[in-house]
Amino acid sequence: MSYRKSLSLILAAVAVFTASASPQSAAIAKEAGERPHMDLAFCIDTTGSMQNEIDMVKNKTKELVAKLSTGKPAPIVRVGLVAYRDRGDEYVTKVFQFSDNIDQVVKDISDLKAAGGGDGPESVNEGLHVALNSLAWSKDSHTAKLLFLIGDAGPHFYPNDYKWEDESKSAISRGIQINTIACSGLEQYAPAQGSDVFKQIAKLSDGKYDTLAYRTEIVYASGKKSTLVTAGGASYRLAAGEKDWKSAAVAGRLERASAPAPATATAMMGAKGAFLARGRAAGGGGFGAARAALMSDAPASAPARSDSNLDEVLLDAARAKAKTSLNVHY
């Protein structure tokens, strides 16, 4: 067979393959182009007190994207993350770029651990700046852009540092909405450094401010069991008939509890040694008071942060953004 004839056969085969493949490829490309797009990023404090919230972001990101993808039409979601700590820590910021390969995103952030901090305020200003400028946000005006700022401490104010006010205004000018999420403890800082700053960041960037709620199953000495929810330094109980505490917390359907937060059964047992030690050190009166607290239904200590409604807060806000910006229905 001549070289020219062989070449002709090869070219003909390529043409047939291309003709058969191109409609399918074109259809896939067309579908991807028509589907709405969302850039969703986390800017999360990774100092020592934040391990439970870090774990929830790692464990729930894939589920969050899967639930967002049930919308009609189903959005294509890219996820990015910036971890921040404070100056003097192992790092100030760490960037994980946007990707629509969510398995890879989860793998990339799987080694994130809470460490550092310790002096209260953190590098919120720099974390916010890096999240807005080092992540490769889509330049398409039709892409919904949502950033979650998650932390339990206000900004550390350094000379010549970035300013959260400027970063918030820059975000909204670029179509990036910032939703701020206050973790347990943020309310303890002075207003200029804590929850008020998070509220203002959300307000300036057309976002929403949320206070995380934390669930604790409490068992009293009498054997009585109850579900206690804490949020923003206050204690709440589930209203009669409520089954899903996370949804109830997001929707504001919790009843204010009159007593401060008691401990879980485990925490109460752990507190026992401390109570008794303090009692012995203080003499009989202290010992008697400690024993009375343990033997009665008096609260012992604050609940842990191991079970929060962060996943529900993220989903609720992301779906709201998809509805308003992309006309996605759930």
Side-chain angles (χ1 to χ4, degrees), residues 41 43-44 84 122-129 131-132 145-157 161-173 175-182 186 191-210:
C43 180
I44 183 168
Y84 70 87
E122 314 298 355
S123 286
V124 176
N125 291 319
E126 187 164 348
L128 199 55
H129 176 83
L132 293 171
K145 306 177 187 80
L146 178 59
L147 174 65
F148 289 104
L149 173 62
I150 307 170
D152 64 357
H156 212 149
F157 295 105
D161 195 9
Y162 303 105
K163 296 180 179 180
W164 58 264
E165 299 96 328
D166 296 338
E167 302 303 328
S168 303
K169 294 172 183 176
S170 172
I172 196 60
S173 71
I176 302 172
Q177 181 190 82
I178 305 175
N179 280 16
T180 56
I181 299 177
L186 184 68
Q193 294 184 343
S195 54
D196 277 9
V197 169
F198 272 47
K199 290 175 182 177
Q200 285 301 311
I201 290 172
K203 183 177 181 179
L204 289 172
S205 58
D206 197 28
K208 182 184 178 186
Y209 168 84
D210 279 293

Side-chain angles (χ1 to χ4, degrees), residues 52-94:
N52 290 305
E53 289 80 8
I54 294 169
D55 288 342
M56 184 163 283
V57 169
K58 292 189 291 188
N59 296 334
K60 295 293 186 177
T61 293
K62 188 173 181 179
E63 181 180 328
L64 170 64
V65 174
K67 288 181 177 179
L68 288 175
S69 298
T70 63
K72 299 185 185 308
I76 295 173
V77 182
R78 297 197 310 161
V79 175
L81 184 143
V82 167
Y84 70 87
R85 290 182 180 170
D86 203 3
R87 297 184 186 184
D89 291 333
E90 179 186 355
Y91 60 82
V92 179
T93 61
K94 187 177 288 189

